[in-house]
Amino acid sequence: PYLVLSLSVMYNYSDVWSGQRQLNFNTGARNSAVPVNGSDPLTDFTTTTNGSVTVEPQGVAKVGNGKSYSPRFVYTRGNLTVEGRFGISDSTSTYNPMKYRDSVFSSGVLTLSNLRFSAVRSSLNSGDWRITQTAGGDWSDGALYSSPLITVGDGRYADNSLKTGELTATLRTHRILPVEWKAGAKWKQERRGYANRRAASNYAYIGPGAGIGQWRDYRSGLALNYSDQGLHSTSISGGGVFLPDIMRIAQTFRERPGDFEARMTATDYYNATIANAKDFEENITSFYLMGTTKIGPVNLRAGLRREETETDSLEFDARSSNEVRAAGYPVAAGRATTTPGIDYQYLSRPMTHRTGGYDNLFPSASAKYNLTRQLDLQVGYSRTIKRPQVASLAGVWLINDDELTVNAPNVNLKPEHSDNISVRIARYFEPVGVAAVNFFQNNIDGLHQTGTRIGSEDFAPGETVYEGYTFITTTQSDRNVQVRGMELEYSQSLSFLPRPWSGFSMRASYTRNYAQVIVADMSPHLVSAGLTYAHRRGQLYANMNWAASRPIDAAGTRYQRHRINVDLGGSHRLSPRISAFFAVRNVLNEPFIRMQKVDDNPAAAQLYQKFGVTPTIGIRATY
């Protein structure tokens, strides 16, 4: 009667087939784009010298598998509750279009040069270009395009394993004050492995018709059509851009392998074997103690958490370029230029474990004062961290003895620390409603800075082999950055209205953020709203989120343009245990637009993306 045992087991399988197409119209020299009739060349121009068009279809086929096991127990006896959670999970993702979809990954970048075109769009932040060829070879004719190497395999592979354990105890005491004590310990081990051997699968077609226009008879049945994005292109003959069929190319590769010849340069070998191989492990152990009590109208909570983190990056123990030269292998820009030289530089010594670690104390405290029965004032403090990205912690050392530089990940990179203060005033009202205003301030210490140059004595103390070298890595700033914000929120059930309107509930919020310096990816204004309607066994909802333009870099010259997103969905209970549901994401098909400002010119769209409307339907059963 005091012990509950449970077990959750989950298996996930995904199979993704994504046919992607990359199309580029190149003006050639910048001054080739001449405005038409005095218009803005950023919206209306024609080329005066020969440019080019390039096209590359890609086939991305990914199969993913994931398994997880999560046992749990809860023991309750009087005022004591002890809970234990454990978890083991692993997942893999393999990209292999030839195996899963009988397709090569890429036909290569096909190029048609010596042509001219005109282009016009409606505004600086639009992607509705209308591009019309005015001179040169017809870009709808596959016989005129170059014959690049094909890439047979995608070559990417990723695996992730996670182990967790958690033990918590809750005890209620009543001496002097009623206090709820919580204490716990948690451990997490995560290992990430990644490889990308795509560069090792480049082939040249040497069979019948090899050379310029070798894929002329392989025109894809899927014509290049970007009208859903608002973009239209017309060749000199009124046709579209030629697109080869990567599935038919794969069929030829299978049926006539002798018509293809493997082509792998030393750079390809380096990229496939060394540059894109990562193996990283992180262990986090934490302990915490927290107490909650109430003194009259005041609720008090305080806690302390200690966290220890250990990292282990398995990396190649690379030889310096001087050692490689001494062994008789040619070197350029710090790296061997032949396959045997790369083997000697990176694989002749066992891989090495570069370890790092840090520990932190996280105090937190909050007080909530019931000013009236319906009005609360809450004040809180917490200390938090933002962990560095794996790419900044693990990777390959690139040693250049000519320039005395080493590009290296920083396994000793510590998290960003933030001291956070918040104040909240909330008024609750019937039925089930709240209106609140929140203020916060975050003082961030140790902001991550990429591409920093530091001396060897600072990066690797005691490392005499690279004494006098400059290390290019990710470091942390000494400056404290202050971020402030405010949020207004409101939510309420409208059950007091007469039927059928009583099934409605609504919510809305507005957030204002600002900082002492430009903080990448922080939007200054955020608006969120939602409307839900429930009636009998059914429910419908609509959610809206709007974000103001946000900077992408610290200079503020590139920014993500403001965007609104609307989602719809609902569910219907078919029986006590079975329900059907649906969801529609991005109902308005709003684009993602990245703007860029150069010198004194107005900002113009550098990136314009539409991902379409995404519907989902499903059945949920509970046993």
Side-chain angles (χ1 to χ4, degrees), residues 364-409:
S364 63
S366 65
K368 185 168 72 171
Y369 179 59
N370 304 122
L371 298 172
T372 68
R373 185 172 176 270
Q374 294 178 307
L375 188 63
D376 288 344
L377 170 65
Q378 185 170 340
V379 180
Y381 164 80
S382 66
R383 184 168 175 81
T384 58
I385 63 172
K386 177 185 176 183
R387 300 181 181 278
Q389 298 179 357
V390 174
S392 300
L393 297 169
V396 179
W397 283 34
L398 180 58
I399 306 156
N400 191 326
D401 290 319
D402 299 324
E403 299 181 5
L404 298 181
T405 60
V406 180
N407 282 272

Side-chain angles (χ1 to χ4, degrees), residues 548-559:
S549 298
R550 54 181 173 83
I552 296 175
D553 55 16
T557 56
R558 293 187 302 136
Y559 63 90

Side-chain angles (χ1 to χ4, degrees), residues 563-574:
R563 182 179 183 274
I564 188 171
N565 184 78
V566 177
D567 299 331
L568 301 175
S571 63
H572 181 74
R573 193 174 71 254
L574 303 175

Side-chain angles (χ1 to χ4, degrees), residues 150-371:
I150 69 168
T151 304
V152 174
D154 191 328
R156 287 177 290 174
Y157 174 84
D159 69 85
N160 182 286
S161 62
L162 179 67
K163 299 177 182 178
T164 61
E166 182 178 5
L167 186 66
T168 61
T170 303
L171 178 65
R172 298 168 181 84
T173 61
H174 301 279
R175 291 186 180 181
I176 305 177
L177 290 173
V179 181
E180 181 181 271
W181 300 96
K182 277 194 172 183
K186 187 175 182 178
W187 170 77
K188 182 180 80 168
Q189 180 189 77
E190 184 173 11
R191 179 185 172 276
R192 300 181 187 181
Y194 177 77
N196 184 350
R197 295 187 55 82
R198 181 186 301 165
S201 60
N202 292 330
Y203 286 80
Y205 177 70
I206 58 174
I212 297 297
Q214 66 188 24
W215 304 127
R216 60 172 65 87
D217 298 327
Y218 287 73
R219 180 182 293 274
S220 173
L222 299 174
L224 274 171
N225 185 345
Y226 293 91
S227 58
D228 287 341
Q229 304 276 28
L231 185 147
H232 299 267
S233 63
T234 306
S235 76
I236 200 166
S237 65
V241 176
F242 172 78
L243 179 74
D245 188 332
I246 54 178
M247 299 184 76
R248 288 182 60 196
I249 294 175
Q251 181 181 1
T252 302
F253 183 86
R254 286 185 181 277
E255 295 175 352
R256 306 201 307 265
D259 289 348
F260 295 85
E261 182 178 75
R263 298 282 177 86
M264 182 172 62
T265 66
T267 298
D268 292 335
Y269 180 74
Y270 170 80
N271 290 332
T273 309
I274 310 297
N276 294 307
K278 291 181 174 60
D279 193 314
F280 181 79
E281 183 178 296
E282 182 179 64
N283 286 272
I284 302 174
T285 305
S286 59
F287 307 89
Y288 78 90
L289 175 65
M290 182 176 68
T292 305
T293 188
K294 184 173 183 179
I295 305 176
V298 181
N299 293 274
L300 299 173
R301 173 174 290 172
L304 183 65
R305 175 184 175 93
R306 175 177 173 81
E307 191 172 274
E308 298 178 356
T309 302
E310 297 177 341
T311 59
D312 185 347
S313 177
L314 187 60
E315 299 178 1
F316 296 99
D317 190 6
R319 297 181 183 273
S320 71
S321 54
N322 284 341
E323 291 180 89
V324 178
R325 284 195 188 96
Y329 300 105
V331 174
R335 193 175 73 216
T337 58
T338 63
T339 297
I342 291 172
D343 285 340
Y344 177 74
Q345 186 171 13
Y346 294 97
L347 303 178
S348 62
R349 294 194 294 212
M351 297 185 75
T352 182
H353 290 269
R354 301 192 187 277
T355 60
Y358 48 88
D359 56 81
N360 296 276
L361 280 175
F362 301 118
S364 63
S366 65
K368 185 168 72 171
Y369 179 59
N370 304 122
L371 298 172

Side-chain angles (χ1 to χ4, degrees), residues 590-607:
E590 281 292 298
F592 289 85
I593 305 175
R594 181 175 298 174
M595 307 292 288
Q596 182 171 3
K597 180 176 175 58
V598 180
D599 298 330
D600 295 329
N601 297 294
Q606 178 220 4
L607 188 69

Side-chain angles (χ1 to χ4, degrees), residues 26-35 41-42 45-51 117 596 598-599 601:
N26 308 298
T27 64
R30 292 185 180 182
N31 57 10
S32 171
V34 176
L42 290 174
F45 69 87
T46 185
T47 61
T48 58
T49 60
N50 288 332
F117 57 89
Q596 182 171 3
V598 180
D599 298 330
N601 297 294

Side-chain angles (χ1 to χ4, degrees), residues 133-149:
Q133 184 179 5
T134 58
D138 190 339
W139 65 42
S140 67
D141 186 354
L144 304 179
Y145 282 81
S146 65
S147 302
L149 299 179

